Amino acid sequence: MQHSSATDSPSHAATMLDRFIDVFRRGIAGEMDAMRKRIEAFEIPIANGRPIDSGRRSAKLYAFTILKPDDRLLLNAECVLTHNGVEQPVTIIDLDGEDVTISSETEIDLGAGAHALVIYPWFLYEKLDAAVASLSSGDFHTANALMLFGRGEPRMEPAEFRNAHDGLNASQERAIRLCCESNLAFVWGPPGTGKTTTLGHIVTELTARGLRVLITSNTNAAVDQALAKLAELEEARGMFAGGEIVRVGQLGAESHGAGLHEVVRKVHASLQRKLEGLRARLPEAREEIVRCDAILKRLETNRGETQFDLFREMKPVMVTAGDLAPLFPAPRAETIARHPAAEQYDLIARHRRRLERVAELCHEKIVAMMAELRNREQSVIANARVVLATMANMYVGRLLAGERFDVVIVEEAGMAVLPALFYCAALAREKVIMVGDPKQLPPIISSKDEHVHRAIGRNIFEIAAPDPHASPVVVMLDTQYRMHPVIGHLVSTMFYDGRLLNGGDERGRDDIAGRRPFPGQPLVVIDTLRRTVCATRDGGFSRFNERTARLCVDLAIEAVRDGVASVAIITPYVEQSRLIRGLLSAYRAEAERIECRTVHRFQGGERDMVILDMVDAAPLSPGVLLAGSSPRSSSRNLLNVSISRARGKLVIISDIEYFRTQAPNSVVNEILSRGVREGMRGEME
């Protein structure tokens, strides 16, 4: 790891900070330009729209149900609401479970027709750019951010554990110790090594020392996984019970009682009960006003033309006790029913005025209590010992903008763009901890520009720990518990210099390997023997291969029918995954246990069986996704993620001779060669 002590000079540190800010902002601008040219806005479907009485004159609030959770839904995000071809700008002001609350300057049509939120992908980069720009003048700990990027020396102080970390292996304990002793630490977690479990122990150890911790990541899924592991630890139960662990943002999994709204309701239960009571009373009062209006309209006729019955005798309109029952208690309704029509009118009009005053007071109290609860949201966050939120939530909106922490932990740090890491590191007073794997997927960048890639798209390990095995601030978790030893050995030798060991009970993984297809074989390479054709549609770039797609589906169905609980079909191409999902639609019962996606969707996940479809074949040359050899190619990392998702069985479908001749020096060819040697070779029929 390369560090500099030049930041000892305040003026030099300021100059260095300005340089980083300038480089980041130019990189962000380049990426936004590329996104505007290549990427369209995306829609998130919502439904069940209902108005919320907020008391605001300048804006109207509406709540909707989110039909498909998405990481890109963020508090204070500005987007567009579409409905029946009409678009209007809105702002997301609240996310609570499956509900989203939006603010609009104009009324929203809640009639028939689908509603959707349209979000522009570059919105987050606009907010990130503003956040990076603020680092030069705000209350930030930029020395720690500079240290993360090699512009400062880490400090080490001996420390003893405060908690008993039972059940952890030696490398996991070393990681916890490093995070206690150093103000900069990298926890290198290869697949299946208990990275998130270790993170949970790190958090409980640091909070036992009185430190306030932020856990953040690029995705809600990673944040939710960290929360789930933390909830399993005895040392964290008191913090959960006391509302001291708070999850901010959209929840995609179990909240364990730590969702922001849940904590606010728990800590301020009496205020919440009063608000709910008022919210129930307000529509009741308004409904009673409508009933009064209907009765008064009937009685109003007594003040107009004279009423006659069949015998031409004058007979005023009267209301009965039954008419008045929804408005008054039974004795009172019967008394009013006996009054003359004119007196009935006056009594009901007086009751209506009282109801209007009740509704007005309810409304005023609801507005005041909502404002108070929003203030208390801020106080709940300020008093939390552990806050969990995505990185985007740290710089979009005001809820977390002023928060600072003793420790900032970034999970899946290798997937985060560099400016976001720099910004989040600057929120840490004392320690910065990166958790991730440099051998897995880097950030996704649209731009092909070299400066953009260097400024924002590299893996943080590449910058801060280019030789992680030799760095004093890096600990590699060295024992994997996920994969069958045969698969684990392939992953270890291919991607981790043989340093990744196998551990754990093998019986469950042997049981999966014993099931069909290829019972008893944990690793199988199926050679398609030049019998398939790879193509693209309408001149596009994404590829598909019909014969391998059908083979994937056949193998997955066979596995599920033989008791394999979960199957992932992984392919590098969107077009192939679309084709396979279409074929799976014919098998509704089995398809519930089969998921087909591109590899990026599976990082951080695991399945009992993985089928990796390489897709590439003649007449096309090997694609850069798999066989790229440039310094910026992520093919090695992509293949590592693909094969390391499997617990008990890995099946690779590929044209072996095609890659041997077309891409002899590629990592694909090496994996196929090793797979055939260490596992079983099958052939397409």
Side-chain angles (χ1 to χ4, degrees), residues 509-582:
R509 292 171 286 185
D510 282 338
D511 178 69
I512 298 168
R515 297 182 184 275
R516 299 182 65 85
F518 310 106
Q521 299 295 331
L523 173 59
V524 180
V525 178
I526 300 178
D527 189 358
T528 60
L529 300 167
R530 302 254 178 173
R531 294 174 181 171
T532 71
V533 175
C534 185
T536 61
R537 296 190 194 278
D538 301 324
F541 294 100
S542 192
R543 303 179 175 196
F544 70 97
N545 187 320
E546 290 188 0
R547 289 202 66 186
T548 62
R550 293 186 182 280
L551 178 57
C552 286
V553 172
D554 290 344
L555 293 172
I557 297 300
E558 184 180 1
V560 168
R561 287 175 176 173
D562 197 39
V564 176
S566 61
V567 178
I569 303 175
I570 301 178
T571 167
Y573 301 110
V574 172
E575 194 62 44
Q576 184 76 347
S577 68
R578 187 179 294 122
L579 173 59
I580 292 171
R581 288 198 300 273

Side-chain angles (χ1 to χ4, degrees), residues 68 70 99 142 214 302 398 435 444 458 502 553 566 599 634 637-638 644 652:
K68 187 178 180 182
D70 196 296
D99 287 343
T142 53
L214 168 67
N302 293 321
R398 297 177 297 276
V435 181
I444 299 173
R458 290 181 289 167
N502 295 312
V553 172
S566 61
V599 62
S634 59
N637 296 41
L638 183 147
S644 62
I652 302 173

